[in-house]
Amino acid sequence: MGIQGLLPFLKNILTPSHIRNYRGCTVAIDAYCWLHKGAFACAEKLAAGEKTDMYVYYCMKYINMLLSYDIKPILVLDGCHLPSKKNVEKKRRERRELNRKKAAQLLRDGKRKEARDALVQCIDITPQMALELMNACRDKGVDCITAPYEADAQLAYLSQTGIAQVIITEDSDLILFGCHTIMFKMDTSGAGMLIQNKDLNKAMKLQDAHYTFDKFRYMCMLSGCDYHANLPGIGLSKACKAMKLTRQIDVRLILKKIPMLLNIRNLTVSAEYIEGFIRADNTFLYQLVFDPLSRKLTPLNPYPPGVKAEDMHYAGPPMSPDHAFQLALGNMDIQGNRIANFDPAPRSQSWINDTEKTPYLLSIWDPNYKPRGQVPEGEEPTRPSTKGKEVLLQAMGISKPKANEQRRKSEPPLKPIKKGWFR
DNA sequence: GTTGCATGCAGAT
DNA sequence: TGCATGCAAC
Ligand SMILES: [Mn+2]
């Protein structure tokens, strides 16, 4: 459910943009956003259990648009359920169940229109539906990766490692996870609203010297997040005020001072609240993700000294490397059943000609793949200006290059990757 | 002004 | 997977 009211809170730094500004770049997609919207196009059939692939076509409409702008899409899907999110998932299940019953009653009353509206609210995206979309994408040479846990953290990892220059989502949580550049509300034409991590201090109206990304994240968490409730009566505005008033950096001390900072007498911050807050913070910082290059599980950010994955089961219980890899490829469902036999190896044959100069256009599973890196200062890139569509498609193993295509010289390297440089 | 909660909604004909 | 909006209450 993200952070309630965060996007309106950030309206000052949300800028209209178009995905064509990222020609030649890689864009990672929060696939379940599209899947859920696409499922509305065929809600009756899905609810009735009939076969339909209308939701696949809905998503491919976006994919094809991205390809038409010479953009390399990476589809990112949600994986296993996160212990930290137990409450939220329970709420969602109850909501779907409520709507299922409501639909049945309305149908008995003969109110077909209302019944359909309720029915629409109880459909769920199954792993089989996600697999159908992955197959359709792979037929077009589009990379897919299933996160070990939340797609949120996986997308942030792709952003921070310079694999993806833009993240496409509808979920405000992605901002807290530390993505550099996010496009919200992108329509089928490619228009959307862009937000950049480097602008967050402006939204809080804090000077650079006093701003830290930690403060921003604490502000959001104080107003309530999927992993932890807010303090009663505290929303984004008051949380922002509190974070502006303190120069403290210790989370525990900040939390204890909240009633004083906001001058709220009958507000107590229990020890349980503080410990829950820290677990939630660790879930944002250290949730397990899958690194496609090393093909291993890794925390989104490096653990502090002395901390191990076993210490943070709530941020994703560790799983075996092979399990994580097969899950990432979409070959294994979250229960551990084998559901496909996709082998990324053959794709490395698409390593030809100009892809030596653009290894970031290869499949992320290709041994020769290299991330493109960060766009300097988070600006919308103007390079490469006219790299032909043929190069991208060719690199992705789709079409042949034109015989007399004019070639640009190799581009200067972009800013090297430096994880966490913005903190 | 800010929060809390209930309600409606996402596509396509 | 999520957001927007309206309105009552503090
Ligand atoms: Mn989320």
Side-chain angles (χ1 to χ4, degrees):
Chain A
M1 286 144 55
I3 307 295
Q4 298 302 320
L6 182 55
L7 291 183
F9 184 86
L10 298 177
K11 61 175 184 288
N12 296 335
I13 60 168
L14 273 165
T15 58
S17 180
H18 197 284
I19 205 66
R20 66 171 162 251
N21 296 329
Y22 288 89
R23 184 178 293 269
C25 288
T26 298
V27 157
I29 298 143
D30 197 347
Y32 272 64
C33 295
W34 291 351
L35 276 169
H36 275 270
K37 286 199 279 190
F40 283 90
C42 47
E44 289 100 336
K45 291 198 171 187
L46 289 173
E50 293 173 36
K51 180 163 172 54
T52 172
D53 48 8
M54 210 172 288
Y55 61 90
V56 175
Y57 289 127
Y58 175 86
C59 297
M60 294 314 287
K61 210 163 44 183
Y62 287 90
I63 293 287
N64 290 330
M65 180 272 293
L66 294 174
L67 291 174
S68 79
Y69 288 118
D70 301 348
I71 286 163
K72 173 181 166 65
I74 300 179
L75 198 74
V76 180
L77 299 107
D78 285 273
C80 300
H81 298 273
L82 197 66
S84 286
K85 226 173 161 177
K86 224 170 39 189
N87 290 337
V88 170
E89 272 155 10
K90 190 180 171 194
K91 268 187 194 169
R92 269 205 274 265
R93 269 200 310 276
E94 286 169 353
R95 191 180 107 126
R96 279 198 290 267
E97 198 49 43
L98 182 83
N99 276 289
R100 195 187 311 280
K101 287 174 181 166
K102 208 158 103 185
Q105 182 59 48
L106 285 165
L107 208 59
R108 279 194 294 274
D109 297 348
K111 298 177 179 172
R112 283 184 56 185
K113 177 77 170 67
E114 291 89 336
R116 204 201 72 92
D117 287 342
L119 209 61
V120 154
Q121 295 299 320
C122 71
I123 56 171
D124 195 13
I125 305 299
T126 65
Q128 288 70 28
M129 292 168 66
L131 184 62
E132 296 279 343
L133 176 58
M134 291 176 84
N135 287 333
C137 284
R138 283 173 179 155
D139 284 348
K140 291 223 150 204
V142 171
D143 276 335
C144 306
I145 182 169
T146 303
Y149 295 99
E150 286 186 292
D152 304 35
Q154 185 69 42
L155 289 157
Y157 186 77
L158 297 181
S159 175
Q160 294 191 2
T161 53
I163 293 176
Q165 284 70 52
V166 189
I167 305 301
I168 295 177
T169 185
E170 306 296 326
D171 183 357
S172 56
D173 278 338
L174 273 289
I175 304 169
L176 280 78
F177 277 101
C179 296
H180 292 168
T181 305
I182 308 172
M183 181 169 278
F184 291 97
K185 307 189 187 308
M186 192 188 73
D187 61 26
T188 48
S189 81
M193 302 296 286
L194 209 67
I195 194 156
Q196 307 220 354
N197 184 289
K198 68 174 177 62
D199 294 331
L200 293 176
N201 63 322
K202 289 179 216 158
M204 290 182 74
K205 294 177 175 130
L206 264 172
Q207 294 173 354
D208 289 40
H210 296 133
Y211 166 84
T212 67
F213 183 58
D214 287 333
K215 279 190 182 179
F216 174 83
R217 198 178 56 257
Y218 297 155
M219 172 188 79
C220 294
M221 292 174 56
L222 275 170
S223 79
C225 65
D226 288 352
Y227 313 138
H228 196 54
N230 61 341
L231 287 166
I234 307 294
L236 276 173
S237 290
K238 288 181 185 174
C240 183
K241 185 180 171 189
M243 295 313 302
K244 279 199 277 198
L245 285 171
T246 182
R247 281 190 342 187
Q248 189 58 247
I249 56 163
D250 185 303
V251 197
R252 288 182 172 82
L253 296 181
I254 292 176
L255 289 172
K256 283 180 184 166
K257 283 192 173 178
I258 295 288
M260 186 203 72
L261 289 166
L262 296 176
N263 201 13
I264 307 175
R265 288 160 60 82
N266 49 2
L267 178 66
T268 55
V269 184
S270 68
E272 291 74 26
Y273 185 88
I274 293 176
E275 295 314 308
F277 191 94
I278 289 169
R279 281 196 299 275
D281 195 35
N282 289 339
T283 307
F284 280 113
L285 289 173
Y286 307 116
Q287 185 170 152
L288 289 183
V289 299
F290 192 76
D291 176 34
L293 305 188
S294 67
R295 300 187 173 180
K296 285 195 300 199
L297 282 179
T298 175
L300 174 55
N301 293 286
Y303 291 125
V307 176
K308 293 187 167 51
E310 284 72 24
D311 304 331
M312 290 195 185
H313 276 216
Y314 50 82
M319 60 177 92
S320 81
D322 190 59
H323 190 125
F325 185 40
Q326 294 307 318
L327 182 65
L329 292 176
N331 287 336
M332 195 172 280
D333 68 13
I334 57 177
Q335 281 85 23
N337 309 306
R338 187 152 201 97
I339 54 174
N341 285 297
F342 173 70
D343 178 6
R347 194 160 300 282
S348 61
Q349 290 168 6
S350 68
W351 170 256
I352 37 174
N353 295 347
D354 275 25
T355 56
E356 288 173 33
K357 291 169 184 169
T358 56
Y360 51 82
L361 294 182
L362 291 167
S363 165
I364 53 171
W365 306 113
D366 190 302
N368 295 113
Y369 172 83
K370 287 188 181 57
R372 178 170 178 181
Q374 238 66 260
V375 172
E377 299 306 312
E379 287 161 19
E380 298 185 10
T382 54
R383 296 171 293 171
S385 51
T386 55
K387 269 279 174 192
K389 180 192 294 184
E390 292 77 12
V391 175
L392 173 66
L393 297 179
Q394 178 191 1
M396 296 170 69
I398 296 169
S399 69
K400 291 170 188 161
K402 285 181 188 168
N404 57 353
E405 178 81 7
Q406 259 208 339
R407 295 285 171 229
R408 286 168 54 87
K409 288 182 180 173
S410 74
E411 301 139 29
L414 294 178
K415 190 172 171 179
I417 306 152
K418 205 162 121 197
K419 268 197 78 173
W421 60 272
F422 53 88
R423 291 184 191 283

